[in-house]
Amino acid sequence: MNPQGERWTAERVLELAPDAASRKAGARLATPGPWSGAGAHTGAVWGECEGSGGKPYRTVVDLSGPGFHCSCPSRKFPCKHALGLLLSWSEGPGSVPEGTPPDWAGQWLDKRRQREAAGSGGAASGTSRGPADPEAARRRAERRAARIAEGASELERRLADLLRSGLASADAASYGRWEETAARMVDAQAPGLAARVRELASVAGSGSGAGRTSRLLEECALLHTLNQGFLRLDELPEPLAATVRARVGITPDAASLLASAPLVRDRWLVLAQRDGDDGRLVTRRVWLRGRDTGRMALLLSYGAAGRAPELSLPVGLALDADLAFHPSARPLRAVLGTRHAAPAPVPGPPPGGDAEEALRAYGEALRDDPWLEGWPVVLSGVVPVPGTDGGDWRLADADGRSALPAVSPGGDESALWRLTAISGGRPVRVFGECGHRGFTPLLAWAPEPVAL
């Protein structure tokens, strides 16, 4: 324990972000450059951040709630300034100097703590990471849902205009307009809608290649279906409604999920771990499979400013632990709870199927979640086959009766050549994701697991 209180990890800070856009924006502000007068002392962090206005934004965080206050006009809670300040503080002693709160920060902290003492709201426990006032949390959720509904209605009008004028009108010049629309979806706190709009924008700006029109139609249909699903949430069965909320970008934080969702204990085999880095935020994806339940699970964790996420699990070993799954019609994403033992070796690889079984698994998952990009599966007895000039790779069943297109992870074709070297022309067992683009291999056994 230090004089400023228990220091949080960057991952814990990023879990507070209301959406992915806020994580990235906060990560950009996790440097000393834009900040002045920053300080921390006994459960509080504060600072002034340069912004687009004439005066810096004043930001203060009460760590015992947590509670946030910022003079910026953002409607997100917490805003990017609060996240950036906390990320700077999380870097360790000396990152934010210890000091005495200035008057503007001290006054807010005093009023907040007076309300706590009077029992009229605020945090009741310094260890709580969720909202301390359920009624206030409900009102914030309703305001956010209303903003997302406005964004979805705006998108419906934009899609109607596009279809009325014809898909051919969505040329490269329209890319900027769709990017503006995506930015408005971020403002509406709907990062899932923003991501789908950006995908549509990338297709619109891709020229006039083969299949462009059909891809545009597919993206329009998926976006329209997601809009309508959110606008009619009360008409959907709850599992599908939960899927729609997640696809729009409304997800519970890890602490509340572990406290409320059923826990699934198993010996979880760590199948793969991959990082994606866009220069501002590192996203780590860890795939697990329960040895007893046979369930697949995906863990997501984040690291700011190029730092690796805190969560790291050894690929090829099994972890005796509890998982809490995010609500969904086809639960996959999960949160890691209590670990009951250290990771241990497993006697052998998990069972796998052929190409037809992989497609069947993906099809069943797609039935429950139409916006799904891929589903984790294990293929057994497949041979990697490069196409002409190294293109059009396939993973063929040993009997040659069926095959799946092979997609290199992260665009790194060397992974497919490594898989070919592991195989040596013989059937191998491979874990990866089966989706509409094909099968992306992530791990192979030969006979020990080898990350691709």
Side-chain angles (χ1 to χ4, degrees):
M1 185 75 72
N2 57 52
Q4 299 172 3
E6 180 185 357
R7 194 173 299 274
W8 297 358
T9 64
E11 192 165 6
R12 178 175 175 182
V13 173
L14 291 167
E15 283 181 356
L16 297 170
D19 52 46
S22 297
R23 292 189 189 100
K24 293 183 178 180
R28 287 198 299 269
L29 295 175
T31 60
W35 293 95
S36 61
H41 182 69
T42 316
V45 188
W46 61 87
E48 295 183 272
C49 186
E50 294 179 5
S52 56
K55 295 182 179 179
Y57 298 127
R58 290 177 167 179
T59 308
V60 57
V61 179
D62 181 357
L63 299 171
S64 65
F68 312 93
H69 173 74
C70 186
S71 61
C72 75
S74 174
R75 296 177 295 182
K76 297 186 179 183
F77 186 83
C79 68
K80 64 182 180 181
H81 304 101
L83 293 169
L85 180 61
L86 285 173
L87 287 169
S88 293
W89 171 72
S90 72
E91 292 181 359
S95 56
V96 174
E98 186 178 357
T100 301
D103 289 343
W104 58 268
Q107 291 172 6
W108 181 83
L109 288 166
D110 288 343
K111 289 180 181 179
R112 174 176 168 80
R113 288 166 183 172
Q114 287 170 8
R115 289 196 301 270
E116 291 176 3
S120 61
S125 168
T127 60
S128 172
R129 293 165 56 185
D133 185 344
E135 180 60 24
R138 184 188 63 79
R139 290 195 297 269
R140 286 196 297 271
E142 289 179 349
R143 289 195 295 269
R144 182 182 182 187
R147 287 194 290 271
I148 295 175
E150 291 175 5
S153 298
E154 178 185 347
L155 267 181
E156 286 295 274
R157 293 190 292 271
R158 184 84 168 84
L159 290 172
D161 290 343
L162 172 62
L163 296 174
R164 190 178 301 113
S165 58
L167 292 178
S169 67
D171 54 15
S174 67
Y175 181 88
R177 294 193 295 273
W178 283 109
E179 274 294 314
E180 292 174 4
T181 303
R184 289 198 291 274
M185 296 305 102
V186 172
D187 291 340
Q189 292 185 262
L193 291 179
R196 295 230 71 97
V197 170
R198 289 196 174 100
E199 181 66 21
L200 191 152
S202 68
V203 176
S206 63
S208 56
R212 172 181 173 273
T213 302
S214 61
R215 284 196 61 204
L216 270 174
L217 185 59
E218 290 168 4
E219 289 300 328
C220 288
L222 288 170
L223 190 51
H224 170 70
T225 306
L226 187 55
N227 289 336
Q228 289 298 316
F230 189 81
L231 292 172
R232 303 181 183 185
L233 271 179
D234 56 350
E235 302 176 24
L236 302 179
E238 180 50 36
L240 181 56
T243 300
V244 170
R245 284 192 288 268
R247 289 299 178 185
V248 165
I250 302 175
T251 55
D253 63 84
S256 61
L257 191 64
L258 287 169
S260 60
L263 299 180
V264 181
R265 182 176 178 179
D266 204 338
R267 292 184 64 205
W268 297 97
L269 174 61
V270 184
L271 292 170
Q273 176 174 292
R274 292 189 68 86
D275 290 352
D277 188 353
D278 65 2
R280 295 167 294 182
L281 191 71
V282 178
T283 302
R284 174 165 293 167
R285 297 163 64 87
V286 181
W287 289 264
L288 309 174
R289 182 187 185 279
R291 291 191 63 85
D292 297 329
T293 62
R295 293 187 66 168
M296 291 290 189
L298 174 64
L299 307 181
L300 296 181
S301 57
Y302 304 94
R307 287 177 286 166
E310 295 291 326
L311 179 64
S312 182
L313 299 176
V315 173
L317 299 183
L319 187 69
D320 183 0
D322 297 328
L323 294 187
F325 285 82
H326 283 249
S328 172
R330 178 69 60 148
L332 179 63
R333 185 181 173 186
V335 173
L336 181 62
T338 301
R339 306 186 196 189
H340 300 284
V346 293
D354 59 17
E356 291 183 0
E357 290 173 311
L359 287 173
R360 188 180 307 115
Y362 173 53
E364 291 174 354
L366 198 63
R367 177 192 59 203
D368 294 330
D369 183 352
W371 309 278
L372 191 67
E373 292 290 325
W375 187 257
V377 296
V378 177
L379 290 177
S380 180
V382 292
V383 179
V385 181
T388 306
D389 298 325
D392 299 325
W393 285 77
R394 293 172 293 130
L395 288 177
D397 290 334
D399 57 16
R401 292 192 302 173
S402 58
L404 291 172
V407 182
S408 56
D412 178 16
E413 193 170 295
S414 63
L416 296 176
W417 286 111
R418 286 196 295 273
L419 179 59
T420 303
I422 292 169
S423 165
R426 298 182 301 274
V428 291
R429 188 166 305 196
V430 184
F431 165 75
E433 288 191 304
C434 184
H436 62 91
R437 294 182 179 88
F439 183 89
T440 304
L442 299 170
L443 184 75
W445 285 267
E448 298 297 324
V450 179
L452 300 172

